Amino acid sequence: MADPASYRPQTGEIPTNPGVYRFRDPNGRIIYVGKAKNLRARLNSYFANPGGLLPKTHAMVFAASSVEWTVVGSELESLQLEYTWIKEFKPRFNVVLRDDKTYPYLAVTMGEKYPRVQVLRGERRKGTRYFGPYTAGAIRETMDTLLRVFPVRSCSAGVLKRAQASGRPCLLGYIDKCAAPCVGRVTPEEHRALAEDFCAFMGGEAKKFISRLEKDMAAAVAELDYERAARLRDDIIALRKVFERNAVVLAEDTNADIFALHEDELEAAVQVFHIRGGRVRGQRGWVVDKVEDSTTPDLVEHLLQQVYGEDGESEGRIPREVLVPEAPSNSEDLALWLGGLRGARVDIRVPQRGDKAALMSTVRENAEQALKLHKSRRAGDLTNRSLALQELQEALDLPVALLRIECFDVSHVQGTNVVASMVVVEDGLPKKSDYRKFAVTGPAAADDTAAMHDVLTRRFRHYLQDKTAQVEAAELPGHQAAVNAMAEAAVLDTTTPVPRAKFAYPPNLVVVDGGKPQVNAAARALSDLGIDDVYVVGLAKRLEEVWLPDSDFPVILPRTSEGLYLLQRIRDEAHRFAISFHRQKRGKAMTLSALDSVPGLGESKRKALLAEFGSVKKIKAATATELTAAKGIGPSLAEAIVTHFTGADGAGDAVAPAVNMTTGEILET
């Protein structure tokens, strides 16, 4: 690695004009290209304090051995030159888009004898027509609705062959959501005509089909054929529902591309919907490795450069409007550059309200789903998991392999309903059967550090108790013979689950969600219990730094480290698990029931009563003898319940129904 001081240019040598600069490695290869309004100010930021740079920028500066620049006449020229050099040299430290072909489309396999309607992802297939894109839920609803009007085959090839061999259609054929060409109800030509109509409707000719059905319905009414008219009416309603959702999403003269991002500290997922004639005509997606000091406007700028710079002019892909989540700092110059490629004006805007803003939120949701899918696939890769565990062990200088990792997170709202979660990862994969929830009350709920200390103490106290019980059991006479007998029985009995101690297996590493205070609280809990073979780290969200106990400085893992990805996934899973428990607990705390005020009636007995009688109304009407039929309800408690609801004089006191205190909804009557 080169020392940046060895190739740093003199400050007076660097012009203050706008321009483009290039960093080269010792072999002369360009590893980074950037542009600046003021070259001197920008380049000096790399060399003033190299040790304080963010990790990826730090790696780039130390990997380079020289820097050079080119002065241009304006920011627009610098934008054009930057793009040209990035395209030509493909520097490894610049943002690079990676295609993400995961979004579902409604596809019709017109190349088959009996065209099939199905949901497809990934690469496009020859002879198949695609419509969309859709969200995961909406595509199934759209397909189900349209098959009512256009009963095109949707079964797999195996189901089709079995139906042809048996002479009986599948379930969809019986419920009229398939024309059943497999058994000859329609000819191949008639079925293909249905598929053509399906494609025509999805291709934008919906109004024609709806108008035709309306005329047929009017004719059926005129002929007093009301049953057929009712069926046609239902078909029209179904088609209108699909048409309103999928056909015209914006004004019919709108041609625009809508970009949205969903990002975390290391990566960003990008989605774009191509709107032509007011309809969604296409979609693309990418995953981007972020540069630490890049902002969302920077990402948008690089995104537009790469998406439109490749083939925008040759394919006419640049529309009149480009809608983005945040405007780039040089949006005017970028619009001029895109206008030059298009040969006409291009507007770059951020939608604030109305239909375009609503569609932007849909695109953003797609980007969020794409990033989740990308991360889950990465987590499932065996090679990456092994590399992550190895990198983490080396970075933290741990003497043991990380076979089991436990992560703890505390969740609350302004100190109320404090809960904590424990998630477990073994061999880099989540072990959900070992997840645990903790309710935190009393002094431990005072703050996050007290809660973390309490939770760790409780978790490892259980571990010590289980360990002590096992040791004491092993010292009893005949213990080994009993263990051998159980082992032999286990070999014969493969259906009965083997009992296990609740907290018997300790982790090699404990991860807490937080920085130095939370880590020290967790380490203190282990120390108080005399446990010295479990290591503790914390992952702080702000800069994703890793904290060790009693350390003044964090460990900074490389931004592309598989070990850091693993820690992030564990931390995010613990946060998700804690949030879900907190919401559940908060919901219960906000629910008031008429049974809550009955003396001596606890939660389990309330549940038993509701399970037996079904509602509070029936409980109030039951006699004491009938109440004893519920589990755990004795004669005295039954009399107390009757007295509570009817009053000592039998007049019948009014009792409020169960009410959700958040929404005011009556839960039990």
Side-chain angles (χ1 to χ4, degrees):
M1 293 183 109
D3 183 356
S6 65
Y7 67 91
R8 176 179 182 175
Q10 296 294 324
T11 301
E13 297 175 350
I14 309 174
T16 57
N17 307 74
V20 181
Y21 55 91
R22 307 175 297 283
F23 281 88
R24 294 182 181 268
D25 66 9
N27 296 317
R29 291 175 298 187
I30 295 177
I31 60 174
Y32 184 74
V33 173
K35 60 177 174 54
K37 296 179 182 178
N38 185 323
L39 283 170
R40 179 181 298 176
R42 186 70 182 100
L43 289 177
N44 279 339
S45 68
Y46 289 104
F47 299 102
N49 181 19
L53 296 173
L54 292 169
K56 191 169 184 178
T57 309
H58 180 278
M60 183 272 292
V61 171
F62 279 84
S65 62
S66 64
V67 62
E68 55 194 34
W69 57 86
T70 300
V71 174
V72 296
S74 66
E75 291 183 51
L76 176 59
E77 292 181 17
S78 69
L79 175 68
Q80 294 170 326
L81 185 58
E82 180 195 33
Y83 167 72
T84 301
W85 280 347
I86 290 175
K87 182 179 178 181
E88 179 180 354
F89 300 114
K90 296 180 173 57
R92 61 190 180 98
F93 284 99
N94 282 94
V95 172
V96 178
L97 302 182
R98 302 192 301 274
D99 269 322
D100 168 31
K101 302 179 179 66
T102 60
Y103 204 71
Y105 284 80
L106 195 57
V108 185
T109 57
M110 298 302 292
E112 300 183 14
K113 179 180 179 181
Y114 300 114
R116 175 190 177 191
V117 176
Q118 60 183 320
V119 177
L120 288 180
R121 300 173 184 262
E123 297 288 347
R124 296 189 173 232
R125 304 175 186 177
K126 187 177 180 180
T128 300
R129 295 192 61 181
Y130 291 83
F131 305 95
Y134 296 87
T135 58
I139 191 169
R140 299 290 178 185
E141 184 180 352
T142 298
M143 180 175 167
D144 187 66
T145 303
L146 286 179
L147 289 180
R148 170 192 175 91
V149 185
F150 306 104
V152 182
R153 167 196 160 223
S154 60
C155 61
S156 65
V159 173
L160 178 69
K161 289 180 180 178
R162 285 196 297 271
Q164 288 174 326
S166 65
R168 296 194 305 271
C170 63
L171 175 63
L172 293 176
Y174 281 112
I175 63 176
D176 295 328
K177 286 196 173 179
C178 177
C182 52
V183 295
R185 285 187 186 173
V186 295
T187 65
E189 292 75 18
E190 291 171 334
H191 184 265
R192 180 168 292 276
L194 279 175
E196 293 286 357
D197 287 346
F198 184 100
C199 293
F201 179 88
M202 294 301 299
E205 299 181 22
K207 291 182 179 179
K208 180 183 74 174
F209 288 98
I210 294 174
S211 298
R212 188 175 71 187
L213 289 178
E214 288 175 340
K215 292 178 181 178
D216 292 344
M217 183 179 68
V221 171
E223 297 171 3
L224 304 183
D225 189 352
Y226 297 117
E227 290 185 2
R228 180 168 178 266
R231 288 195 300 272
L232 291 171
R233 177 203 60 198
D234 294 340
D235 289 349
I236 292 170
I237 293 173
L239 290 184
R240 281 179 175 164
K241 182 179 178 182
V242 174
F243 177 69
E244 290 170 0
R245 181 174 61 241
N246 300 311
V248 180
V249 294
L250 297 173
E252 294 192 7
D253 60 347
T254 301
N255 292 324
D257 285 348
I258 303 181
F259 291 85
L261 302 169
H262 183 75
E263 53 189 306
D264 60 13
E265 295 77 10
L266 302 178
E267 293 180 307
V270 181
Q271 290 282 313
V272 55
F273 279 15
H274 302 292
I275 311 298
R276 299 296 183 268
R279 295 176 173 84
V280 179
R281 296 301 191 189
Q283 174 268 347
R284 291 180 71 186
W286 303 269
V287 176
V288 179
D289 286 325
K290 290 177 62 178
V291 180
E292 291 88 341
D293 54 355
S294 64
T295 61
T296 300
D298 294 333
L299 283 175
V300 171
E301 177 186 326
H302 290 294
L303 175 68
L304 299 184
Q305 281 183 301
Q306 294 191 45
V307 170
Y308 294 126
E310 291 290 336
D311 50 3
E313 185 177 9
S314 61
E315 297 187 8
R317 291 184 50 233
I318 302 179
R320 173 69 174 78
E321 281 185 291
V322 177
L323 306 180
V324 294
E326 292 187 31
S329 57
N330 61 338
S331 58
E332 292 183 3
D333 293 326
L334 199 57
L336 288 174
W337 178 63
L338 293 178
L341 294 178
R342 180 175 181 260
R345 180 177 173 179
V346 174
D347 287 336
I348 300 176
R349 298 193 302 104
V350 179
Q352 301 294 335
R353 62 183 66 86
D355 293 339
K356 292 178 181 178
L359 189 55
M360 171 74 77
S361 66
T362 300
V363 183
R364 188 180 302 111
E365 179 186 349
N366 299 331
E368 181 178 355
Q369 294 177 0
L371 188 61
K372 287 181 180 178
L373 181 61
H374 169 74
K375 287 186 173 295
S376 65
R377 286 181 173 176
R378 186 180 187 124
D381 186 83
L382 176 61
T383 303
N384 285 337
R385 292 203 313 269
S386 302
L387 180 60
L389 293 171
Q390 181 181 351
E391 286 184 0
L392 201 54
Q393 181 183 351
E394 293 175 354
L396 301 177
D397 195 22
L398 301 180
V400 296
L402 301 179
L403 302 179
R404 179 181 172 103
I405 303 174
E406 293 179 1
C407 183
F408 295 81
D409 183 32
V410 175
S411 179
H412 59 85
V413 173
Q414 296 182 344
T416 61
N417 299 309
V418 182
V419 300
S421 67
M422 179 187 96
V423 301
V424 180
V425 169
E426 290 189 357
D427 296 325
L429 289 175
K431 189 177 182 182
K432 296 193 174 183
S433 61
D434 285 4
Y435 284 17
R436 294 292 181 269
K437 304 172 183 176
F438 300 85
V440 184
T441 58
D447 56 44
D448 283 359
T449 55
M452 189 64 71
H453 183 277
D454 176 72
V455 170
L456 267 292
T457 300
R458 289 157 60 187
R459 184 266 180 266
F460 285 97
R461 186 186 292 132
H462 281 293
Y463 157 61
L464 293 177
Q465 290 171 352
D466 289 344
K467 184 178 179 181
T468 302
Q470 291 174 6
V471 172
E472 291 175 351
E475 294 175 351
L476 294 175
H479 171 73
Q480 189 58 47
V483 171
N484 294 339
M486 290 173 62
E488 292 176 3
V491 172
L492 298 175
D493 182 7
T494 59
T495 60
T496 303
V498 178
R500 62 182 178 86
K502 195 171 185 180
F503 287 103
Y505 188 25
N508 306 110
L509 178 67
V510 166
V511 180
V512 298
D513 181 15
K516 185 176 180 180
Q518 287 80 6
V519 172
N520 289 338
R524 188 170 66 254
L526 295 179
S527 178
D528 293 344
L529 295 172
I531 298 175
D532 56 4
D533 57 348
V534 176
Y535 300 91
V536 181
V537 299
L539 183 62
K541 286 190 179 71
R542 188 173 67 88
L543 293 176
E544 300 296 309
E545 66 264 26
V546 180
W547 286 90
L548 302 178
D550 301 319
S551 175
D552 293 330
F553 301 98
V555 175
I556 304 296
L557 297 177
R559 303 287 284 189
T560 56
S561 164
E562 292 295 337
L564 180 57
Y565 278 114
L566 176 61
L567 286 181
Q568 284 183 312
R569 289 195 299 270
I570 299 172
R571 188 267 314 280
D572 293 345
E573 175 69 357
H575 184 65
R576 179 200 64 79
F577 197 48
I579 284 290
S580 63
F581 182 40
H582 169 74
R583 288 173 177 165
Q584 177 186 1
K585 186 177 177 67
R586 185 180 62 195
K588 288 183 178 179
M590 290 183 174
T591 303
L592 176 67
S593 173
L595 299 176
D596 290 347
S597 56
V598 178
L601 191 62
E603 181 180 355
S604 60
K605 293 180 181 179
R606 288 198 299 270
K607 290 181 179 179
L609 279 171
L610 289 171
E612 180 71 25
F613 293 93
S615 69
V616 174
K617 183 178 180 180
K618 292 181 179 180
I619 294 172
K620 290 160 62 177
T623 65
T625 303
E626 292 171 339
L627 290 174
T628 57
K631 182 179 179 180
I633 306 299
S636 59
L637 181 56
E639 290 291 347
I641 295 171
V642 172
T643 302
H644 176 79
F645 283 124
T646 61
D649 57 358
D653 296 331
V655 180
V659 176
N660 186 302
M661 302 299 288
T662 303
T663 64
E665 176 188 3
I666 296 178
L667 301 177
E668 299 166 0
T669 57

